[in-house]
Amino acid sequence: MRFDDDADLDTSEVSDVRGSRVPGGRVTVGGGVVGIVALVLGLFFGVGPDQLGLSSGDPAAEPSASSAERVQRSCLKGSDANSRDDCRTVAVVNNVQDYWRQKFDRAGETYTPAKTVLFADRVSTACGAATSAVGPFYCPGDRQVYLDLGFFDELRTTYGAGGGPFAEAYVVAHEYGHHVQDQLGTLDRAGDGRQGADSASVKVELQADCYAGVWANHATTTRDESGHPLITELTEADIQDGLDAAAAVGDDRIQEKFQGGVHPESWTHGSSAQREQWFTTGFRTGDASRCDTFR
């Protein structure tokens, strides 16, 4: 996965609060065993920590003296995205949102952009306070994606994914799939709180995987404001890294690893095979209308 070295990055789409402190409130999901249980229960590439009963109503994170908005200073060009993981996240966010913005425009609709918030350890959101243990998530309450970049190390070391830049891009694109669902009203269909292989929650997550695949299909042809593609290369090996990441966080694989058995009645995101299948459907067709997981 490569970016145009000379392309300009739009850092306004990413807020860097690493080094900030979260005042007040109580974060109810922590690391270690408690964090793993939270992941197994279902907030993994998910929607809003309020679904797990995390604390809510906390004020926003307050910048500390060490918080220097690193991406705003350092992530200026595509060459930065080719050399730094935080800048790569900025570039992927730019490209994903350019794609959905242009798709909405062609349909005569308006795409409302969403920021990605980079944090470390814990963060306060409109959906409640969360720690890094819950993994990346999208909060409908403030329409923002939350991501601790340390998660990508966990994806490799704890969950057995091969890693790679596109594995990280897949995670970001999945979360923006939730943002698209939010704008289309699809997230409302998963609000009953039910779990299980046939639950609306699983269907919402698999659709977000499919939307990530749709974006990947168009990634190298989506043009930025300069009229040129920001992403210049996406290989079969990159796509395989994305599929590997999708499989690594299937409900069945996580349950087998951490609970010693598979329990479909408690699934919230779908099996490894399903997650691979729906990402592949999106990637091969490049057509979001083929992502109807509810049929």
Side-chain angles (χ1 to χ4, degrees):
M1 184 179 190
R2 293 286 300 177
F3 302 90
D4 178 358
D5 282 338
D6 297 322
D8 293 323
L9 301 186
D10 181 2
T11 57
S12 70
E13 294 185 340
V14 175
S15 177
D16 185 359
V17 300
R18 293 172 293 174
S20 299
R21 59 182 181 272
V22 179
R26 180 173 60 91
V27 179
T28 59
V29 173
V33 174
V34 175
I36 293 300
V37 171
L39 298 181
V40 171
L41 286 175
L43 184 57
F44 205 76
F45 297 12
V47 185
D50 54 328
Q51 292 180 337
L52 292 179
L54 274 68
S55 60
S56 60
D58 288 346
E62 295 178 351
S64 67
S66 63
S67 179
E69 292 285 339
R70 280 167 279 182
V71 299
Q72 277 69 25
R73 293 202 323 267
S74 304
C75 302
L76 304 178
K77 292 287 187 177
S79 56
D80 300 318
N82 285 322
S83 61
R84 292 174 53 125
D85 58 352
D86 52 358
C87 299
R88 182 165 58 244
T89 298
V90 174
V92 171
V93 168
N94 289 171
N95 188 262
V96 169
Q97 297 213 94
D98 281 342
Y99 169 70
W100 287 112
R101 186 181 297 110
Q102 293 163 22
K103 177 172 176 54
F104 272 55
D105 284 347
R106 289 192 295 269
E109 300 174 350
T110 300
Y111 174 83
T112 303
K115 278 192 175 184
T116 285
V117 179
L118 300 182
F119 72 98
D121 298 325
R122 59 178 183 163
V123 67
S124 288
T125 81
C127 297
T131 71
S132 302
V134 301
F137 63 91
Y138 171 72
C139 174
D142 54 28
R143 288 191 163 184
Q144 295 189 130
V145 172
Y146 290 87
L147 173 63
D148 185 330
L149 293 175
F151 167 76
F152 296 129
D153 291 330
E154 289 290 313
L155 192 59
R156 294 190 300 272
T157 61
T158 303
Y159 300 98
F166 189 77
E168 300 172 11
Y170 151 71
V171 173
V172 173
H174 173 100
E175 294 308 331
Y176 276 92
H178 286 315
H179 180 57
V180 170
Q181 291 171 323
D182 193 17
Q183 294 195 63
L184 297 177
T186 312
L187 287 187
D188 295 338
R189 303 177 72 171
D192 59 10
R194 292 189 301 110
Q195 298 179 345
D198 294 322
S199 67
S201 175
V202 166
K203 293 173 182 178
V204 162
E205 296 298 335
L206 295 177
Q207 186 177 67
D209 282 333
C210 187
Y211 284 164
V214 169
W215 159 73
N217 176 281
H218 298 279
T220 59
T221 58
T222 296
R223 300 178 183 274
D224 60 18
E225 289 187 356
S226 73
H228 298 91
L230 173 57
I231 296 177
T232 59
E233 182 182 46
L234 198 60
T235 67
E236 286 295 324
D238 290 323
I239 299 303
Q240 188 55 52
D241 285 343
L243 288 168
D244 184 60
V249 292
D251 283 326
D252 55 340
R253 188 172 296 187
I254 292 176
Q255 288 181 337
E256 181 68 36
K257 184 176 182 67
F258 297 109
Q259 295 182 326
V262 177
H263 310 283
E265 69 278 2
S266 63
W267 286 3
T268 57
H269 286 61
S271 69
S272 294
Q274 287 175 313
R275 300 198 74 163
E276 287 185 293
Q277 172 198 337
W278 280 104
F279 176 86
T280 300
T281 295
F283 179 67
R284 286 182 176 171
T285 66
D287 183 357
S289 70
R290 300 289 294 275
C291 295
D292 184 6
T293 55
F294 291 86
R295 67 178 186 273

